[in-house]
Amino acid sequence: SDILYAPTKRAEQNLIREHVHGKVYVTGNTVIDSVNHYMPIAEKYSNIMQLINFKEFSLVTIHRAENVDDAETLKGFVEAFIESPIPIVFPAHPRTIKRLKQQRILEILRNAENVQIISPQGYFDFLVLMKNCRIILTDSGGIQEEATTPCIKKPVLVLRRSTERPEAVEKGFAKVVGVDKNKILKALTDSLNRVPNLPNCSPFGDGKAGERIVRVIREPI
């Protein structure tokens, strides 16, 4: 009960500032361990790329209530995807599909030549999609972490007004672009026109977080 695990130094500082009771250990994030461990297995067993219509594409996920439940935001997203300078592969969350139907914009998206809507994917297939895409557009927190793993190493445009993963922003992996259609399109164009210069290591750890956690459990200092 007196042991706290922090994924990053910044997280450790937050805990210290909050005067949280217990000793803090910076271990890295187990998300990175997981991607490192499962990517070779995913590449061996996943056939997802055979279903993708495009050679080069942007991977998109949106599911957060403040995005998909807001009619104007959702319509702006759909317009941005249709006008995107790169084809879009969109594993669509059931909640998002429901909202698109309600707003009568699902068919517009389905009929767009540069957008491929696919069903939500399992972990292995999604890892392979992340590895093979050119850029990611998402409102997911976990994806912002996973994209920094060296075996994926992809730029992420965060379709939100803020992020709880500032480490990804500081290291150049993520950029918070908001929810305005024109800003999304500008950020996407700018990013595609730039050669990505991303670090070879993740700000969320080296993939050995699990080992460190086990060590601390066995012999806390």
Side-chain angles (χ1 to χ4, degrees), residues 34-52:
S34 182
V35 175
N36 283 342
H37 180 75
Y38 286 113
M39 182 63 87
I41 303 166
E43 289 192 294
K44 187 175 176 185
Y45 292 107
S46 170
N47 298 316
I48 190 65
M49 292 311 297
Q50 292 170 18
L51 304 178
I52 303 305

Side-chain angles (χ1 to χ4, degrees), residues 53-122:
N53 298 334
F54 314 113
K55 209 165 128 181
E56 198 172 60
F57 63 93
S58 168
L59 181 62
V60 168
T61 77
I62 47 169
H63 72 279
R64 293 178 77 89
E66 70 259 31
N67 282 340
V68 299
D69 291 356
D70 185 294
E72 285 311 302
T73 298
L74 195 58
K75 280 178 185 162
F77 282 174
V78 167
E79 288 173 17
F81 301 160
I82 290 168
E83 293 174 34
S84 166
I86 184 172
I88 300 282
V89 171
F90 181 21
H93 193 279
R95 173 200 188 98
T96 309
I97 291 285
K98 187 179 170 187
R99 295 291 183 255
L100 288 165
K101 270 186 189 157
Q102 284 171 346
Q103 298 302 325
R104 297 188 166 81
I105 47 180
L106 179 60
E107 283 315 303
I108 299 168
L109 202 53
R110 279 219 167 109
N111 293 331
E113 284 182 11
N114 70 320
V115 178
Q116 184 180 2
I117 299 177
I118 59 176
S119 57
Q121 299 300 306

Side-chain angles (χ1 to χ4, degrees), residues 3-9 11-12 24-30 32-33 203-217:
I3 295 172
L4 301 165
Y5 301 100
T8 63
K9 290 294 284 179
E12 177 189 39
V24 183
Y25 293 85
V26 178
T27 57
N29 192 322
T30 52
I32 308 302
D33 303 25
F204 299 105
D206 57 4
K208 297 191 170 74
E211 291 172 30
R212 289 191 189 91
I213 291 166
V214 169
R215 270 206 304 275
V216 172
I217 292 168

Side-chain angles (χ1 to χ4, degrees), residues 158-196:
V158 182
L159 303 179
R160 290 175 61 196
R161 294 181 177 89
S162 63
T163 178
E164 307 85 19
R165 274 63 174 197
E167 296 94 338
V169 176
E170 285 158 8
K171 294 295 181 188
F173 285 99
K175 181 179 171 66
V176 179
V177 298
V179 296
D180 174 75
K181 169 196 159 181
N182 294 323
K183 285 182 180 156
I184 292 166
L185 284 170
K186 184 181 184 314
L188 186 51
T189 304
D190 289 350
S191 192
L192 291 170
N193 287 338
R194 232 184 9 251
V195 178

